[in-house]
Each structure stands twice: as C-alpha cells, then as structure tokens.
Amino acid sequence: MKVVSKQNNSHMCIICGMDNTLGVKAQFYNMADGSVGALFTFRPEHQSYPGRVHGGMLATMIDELAGRVLWTDRPDCIAVTMDISVKYRKPVPYDVELVGRGVYVEKLSRGYSAKCQIMDKDGNVLAEGVAKYLIMPCEKITDVTIEEELDINIPDDVTEIYFGKE
C-alpha cells in the first residue's frame, strides 16, 4: 500500500522515542487508505523468554498504533487510552523487521476506536488488538505541545508498506 506521508517521532517514548536507548524507535506512516502503518524491529532488550518479544511490548506497540490512527486525519489532537484488548496469535521474535497497521473502527466527536495488527514481513498476523481513546486538549494531558514532543522528523525512502493480502 502506498505511503502518503510520514509521522514525526518523539524524544523519549518507549515506542517512537529516538533518544530512548531502550526504545523501539519505530517509524510511522500515513497510508493511502487512511490507516497508519509502522516499520519496526524489537531488540533483545524487549524480550520475555529468550528469542521472544515480551507481550507487554506487543500491547504497547498496539496502543501506539491505535493512538497514531488519530494523527492520520487530526494531527493537531491528542488522545488517551480508555480501553485496550490484545490477542496474541504467534510468538514474536526480536531482531526481525515487523510491520504494524492501525485503522479506525469508529469515530465519535470526543473519541474513537481503532483495530491494530502486528505482522511479519509476509503479512502473517502475530498479535492484534482493539483500543478505545478519549480525545482531550493537550494541556489536560501534558505540559508540552504536540509540536514540542513530536518534533523529530527522520526522512527515509519508504514509499510502500506490504500488509499482506489486501
């Protein structure tokens, strides 16, 4: 699927923070169909059992994907997680490039829900989840603006992301 634009990264987020030495440093993209896509690789620091990514890290990635769905059409807004449900389908190895995708399930004036998946490069679903969010003014959540937090733009040459059978 075609990439329309790239979303910015933050400094210290465990998923997208570029200054977080233990972070995933995932890259997120606005896709042609209105979804958000991600490319990322978990590392040994993110393991539970040897060779496997910790389920909490997978849930955190699903939460991040769902949160970033909002920025596909409302990049000036921020939202907080109200509810999240995760299903683990297959063991997830680290040191392997993975793909994430998030799409709106429902849009409301003050909130939304999104369905997200973590897949291998062949499109096999490894984990998936649904999250519900409440859209709130930035000043009620943090003392910095979205622009101050998400101010890292890392250009790359990603023009398409394969999500498996469409």
Side-chain angles (χ1 to χ4, degrees):
M1 181 175 302
K2 185 177 190 247
V3 169
V4 174
S5 60
K6 187 169 184 187
Q7 294 186 358
N8 284 358
N9 286 67
S10 75
H11 291 274
M12 292 304 294
C13 173
I14 191 70
I15 295 296
C16 75
M18 299 311 292
D19 299 333
N20 188 330
T21 57
L22 296 177
V24 179
K25 298 176 176 37
Q27 304 298 304
F28 295 87
Y29 304 86
N30 296 322
M31 306 306 296
D33 70 347
S35 67
V36 64
L39 299 174
F40 55 96
T41 302
F42 289 109
R43 299 188 321 271
E45 295 88 349
H46 306 131
Q47 80 170 8
S48 59
Y49 297 112
R52 300 292 180 234
V53 175
H54 194 286
M57 290 301 294
L58 298 171
T60 303
M61 179 59 76
I62 288 170
D63 188 30
E64 183 79 9
L65 282 161
R68 284 174 172 269
V69 167
L70 179 65
W71 294 334
T72 63
D73 64 349
R74 297 180 69 182
D76 57 333
C77 293
I78 195 165
V80 294
T81 312
M82 293 175 42
D83 184 65
I84 188 167
S85 171
V86 178
K87 293 182 181 178
Y88 303 96
R89 300 291 184 196
K90 297 181 180 184
V92 179
Y94 51 80
D95 287 335
V96 173
E97 188 172 29
L98 301 170
V99 177
R101 185 176 189 194
V103 298
Y104 280 115
V105 173
E106 180 179 36
K107 289 184 188 183
L108 304 169
S109 61
R110 295 189 58 227
Y112 68 97
S113 60
K115 178 181 179 183
C116 303
Q117 296 179 319
I118 296 172
M119 297 162 274
D120 63 20
K121 293 297 273 183
D122 295 325
N124 297 305
V125 176
L126 307 174
E128 59 188 339
V130 175
K132 293 180 183 177
Y133 281 78
L134 177 64
I135 300 169
M136 296 181 67
C138 204
E139 63 272 7
K140 289 194 174 189
I141 299 170
T142 180
D143 58 356
V144 298
T145 66
I146 293 175
E147 295 80 16
E148 290 171 315
E149 178 58 24
L150 294 170
D151 66 347
I152 299 176
N153 184 303
I154 302 168
D156 61 36
D157 59 357
V158 176
T159 59
E160 291 187 343
I161 298 177
Y162 177 71
F163 296 119
K165 298 176 184 133
E166 304 275 329

